[in-house]
Amino acid sequence: MRQKIVAGNWKMNKTPEEAHQLASAVVSFFDQQYTSLPKIIFCPPFPYLADIVSITKHDTRFSVGAQNCSEHQWGAYTGEVSAPMLKALGVKYVIIGHSERRQYFGEDGALLAQKVDAALANNLTPVFCCGEPLIVREDNKHTDLVKTQVEEALFHLPAEGIKKIVIAYEPVWAIGTGKTATSQQAQEMHAVIRKHIAGRYGKEVAESISILYGGSVNAGNAKELFSCADVDGGLVGGASLKPNEFIEIIKAGSN
Ligand code: PEP
C-alpha cells in the first residue's frame, strides 16, 4: 500500500526558537495514542535541520526533509549544501524542483535530474515537485507540461530508482495564493501523473509511488483533497507554520 505523507515546507521562515517550538508542539501533540498517522515530515531551513532532527528522532512517525540540495557532492560551490551533508545530519527527505526554485533560481529539468541522482545516491528520498503556472492551465497545456516535468527529471531512473521517489503535484497558481485546486482537479492531475509513470515503468511501479498534493492546503480542505483516490497526502506551505492547523491537516491524512 502507498504511504500517506504530510510534509510541511517551512520555506525561509521562523527564528531558531520558533522553529524549535513549532516542531516540539506537533511532536508532543501526537503521543503514542495516535496510531494511524501518515508519515510526517518537517522541512525547515538548512540551519535548523540538526535541531529538528534531534526533536523528532525518537519517533519513527516523524522525519526531517531539506528544501533543496546541490547536484554536487563536495567541493568549491560556495553557499551550497550537499546530499551527503544532509544525510550525515539525519535528514531523510529532500524537496527537489519546488516551483520557487524553478522560478527564482532558474532550476530546469536537466539540473533537477542531477539533484534527484545526488539525493538517491545518498539514500535521501526526493520529494520531486511538478506543477503548472496559471497561464499554462488557461492554455489547456497543463497535462503536457507536468508530464514533461516528470519525464525530464525522473524518467532516466531505473524502476528501482523511481520507486524511491515521492512526487508532489503543486499547481503554481495555488501555491501561497489561498486558491486551492478542487479535489476534482487534483485527482485528475494525480491520475495523469500516475498513468504516465505506468506507461514508462508499468502499473505496479506507478501504484507504489506516493503522489502528494500541494497548493494552499489547510485544515478546512485537507480531508477532501486527501480522500481522492490518487492523492496520498500533502506538501503544505503556509499552514504548516501554525502548529494547530498543521496538526489538523495531519489528522486529515490519518487512515
Ligand atoms: C508549498 O510551498 O509547497 C506550498 C504548497 O505552499 P502553500 O501551502 O502555502 O500554498
Side-chain angles (χ1 to χ4, degrees):
M1 207 172 74
R2 295 196 294 270
Q3 188 172 38
K4 278 245 162 164
I5 298 171
V6 173
N9 174 13
W10 298 358
K11 312 195 187 190
M12 199 172 72
N13 290 297
K14 302 284 180 193
T15 65
E17 294 76 22
E18 288 167 348
H20 187 93
Q21 281 164 13
L22 171 56
S24 304
V26 177
V27 170
S28 60
F29 179 87
F30 289 110
D31 59 24
Q32 299 306 327
Q33 68 177 351
Y34 287 91
T35 52
S36 59
L37 293 180
K39 168 61 94 185
I40 304 157
I41 307 170
F42 297 117
C43 301
F46 286 130
Y48 311 153
L49 286 167
D51 184 43
I52 308 304
V53 166
S54 74
I55 293 170
T56 53
K57 68 177 175 209
H58 66 283
D59 189 333
T60 55
R61 299 171 302 174
F62 294 88
S63 287
V64 176
Q67 298 173 18
N68 179 31
C69 75
S70 172
E71 69 276 26
H72 303 291
Q73 307 271 333
W74 304 103
Y77 301 102
T78 302
E80 290 289 275
V81 175
S82 73
M85 295 173 186
L86 298 174
K87 182 71 189 164
L89 286 177
V91 169
K92 298 269 166 41
Y93 293 82
V94 56
I95 298 173
I96 291 177
H98 191 282
S99 63
E100 288 151 15
R101 301 288 323 168
R102 293 177 190 262
Q103 191 180 341
Y104 305 136
F105 301 92
E107 297 193 357
D108 62 12
L111 176 68
L112 299 176
Q114 291 179 51
K115 292 191 175 205
V116 164
D117 290 345
L120 289 176
N122 290 281
N123 290 320
L124 295 172
T125 299
V127 178
F128 172 74
C129 300
C130 55
E132 79 285 358
L134 184 59
I135 189 166
V136 174
R137 180 163 278 261
E138 286 174 345
D139 216 11
N140 207 24
K141 300 262 170 45
H142 48 294
T143 51
D144 287 347
L145 177 72
V146 169
K147 286 200 283 193
T148 302
Q149 289 173 334
V150 169
E151 276 169 34
E152 285 177 346
L154 302 180
F155 274 17
H156 65 289
L157 295 171
E160 283 317 305
I162 199 158
K163 273 171 140 176
K164 294 180 184 151
I165 306 285
V166 172
I167 294 177
Y169 168 63
E170 300 204 304
V172 180
W173 46 272
I175 296 179
T177 58
K179 204 171 165 189
T180 318
T182 62
S183 51
Q184 235 175 339
Q185 287 171 319
Q187 168 56 29
E188 185 196 0
M189 287 307 290
H190 284 228
V192 163
I193 294 166
R194 205 178 296 288
K195 196 164 163 214
H196 198 45
I197 293 170
R200 163 79 171 81
Y201 293 97
K203 203 160 179 246
E204 196 206 324
V205 171
E207 284 298 326
S208 72
I209 294 177
S210 294
I211 307 179
L212 315 183
Y213 169 77
S216 298
V217 174
N218 59 42
N221 60 28
K223 188 98 206 158
E224 186 180 338
L225 286 162
F226 297 171
S227 63
C228 297
D230 285 291
V231 177
D232 304 306
L235 178 56
V236 185
S240 73
L241 298 171
K242 303 173 206 145
N244 292 343
E245 180 136 19
F246 195 51
I247 285 166
E248 289 310 310
I249 294 170
I250 293 166
K251 287 188 196 162
S254 301
N255 291 317

